[in-house]
Amino acid sequence: MAETTQAERQKSQRAEGMMADMTLTPLNATAIVDSLSVATTAMFTLEIRDSVGSTNDLVREFLSADDSRGVIVLAEEQTQGRGRRGRRWHSPARANLYLSLGWRFHGPVERLSGLSLAIGAMLAEAIARDYTVELALKWPNDLYHGERKLGGVLIELLGEQNGAIPVIAGIGLNVNMPVEGTEAIQRPWTDLATAFGAPLDRNRLAAQLISQLASGLMDIAGGEMHNWLAHWRQRDFLHGRQVLVEGSPTVAGTAAGVDQNGALLVSTETGQSVVAGGEATLLEIGAAG
Ligand code: BTN
């Protein structure tokens, strides 16, 4: 039998009335905070907005204020959602999670090497634990289910302020994605509702992810980045696959994991290359990304 397409699956879910109930449940600060520990609540101020340009921009404004706490901004919709490498992040209203976390890191900047991978690993671990959905991580920080992208992380580090390094981690997760408007997404995509088999309560999901991020960031502040990179390696989407990483120089070869800084290792005909930044494209016929 022919494989059911993403659009067909989601249309049939909608026909059953499953999507409508959950996607209309608005984000609610009380519902989220009630599920967080006292320690996590003390770490962050939580802001929920109806419509913003980009949650990352709002977090940047909050971080420039004189407050020692971190901040988490969630929005129902983004009108200027940003992806990596100048791409647009499709951010329809009341469907998905658009979450930016602002955190002031006190410590040596070396401890942040690999942060974007670690955040992806934290999200994947929380989702595997709470929903038994296994996600793979495509270097540096895309979340995949099967061969389809389900989420991504956009990290921005700001200049040092009062002895701290302000970090913005913008997280976009397709949760209950409506099919309308997705023609513009250039790569194969999926959402958590499809992977899990039912629509998800975004307030519950947000609380679970915030809890994991809070404890994971404490690990990193304590010098435990290597543990999160070890989790990342267990979910390495590219490992052993043929990749092309465009940059200067462009590298083509077999993806061979990541080093202690989160740089991609690529085995080439002339030896091993260490690629610190860029985007890896799969060199396989019909490959997703
Ligand atoms: C990527 O995979 O390219 C990264 C996508 C990051 C999207 C999130 S949504 C919340 C935050 N606000 C933005 O404008 N971008 C990030």
Side-chain angles (χ1 to χ4, degrees), residues 53-56 78 80-85 87 89 91 97-100 141-142 149 151-154 170-173 187:
S54 158
T55 50
N56 269 28
Q78 296 187 117
Q80 304 287 329
R82 293 198 300 275
R84 290 181 65 242
R85 303 174 75 76
R87 294 199 188 94
W89 189 256
S91 310
L97 277 189
Y98 319 117
L99 182 158
S100 293
N141 46 21
D142 289 347
K149 182 162 169 170
V153 181
L154 180 68
I171 295 160
L173 270 188
R187 284 187 273 178

Side-chain angles (χ1 to χ4, degrees), residues 146-206:
E147 297 291 312
R148 294 172 173 274
K149 182 162 169 170
L150 186 142
V153 181
L154 180 68
I155 298 279
E156 295 173 328
L157 295 186
L158 308 182
E160 188 178 317
Q161 287 171 5
N162 305 326
I165 302 168
V167 174
I168 302 173
I171 295 160
L173 270 188
N174 300 336
V175 183
N176 305 306
M177 179 82 100
V179 178
E180 290 79 16
T182 54
E183 311 77 30
I185 304 179
Q186 279 161 4
R187 284 187 273 178
W189 61 273
T190 189
D191 64 6
L192 260 180
T194 305
F196 180 61
L200 272 76
D201 175 347
R202 291 176 304 147
N203 290 309
R204 183 162 173 261
L205 175 65

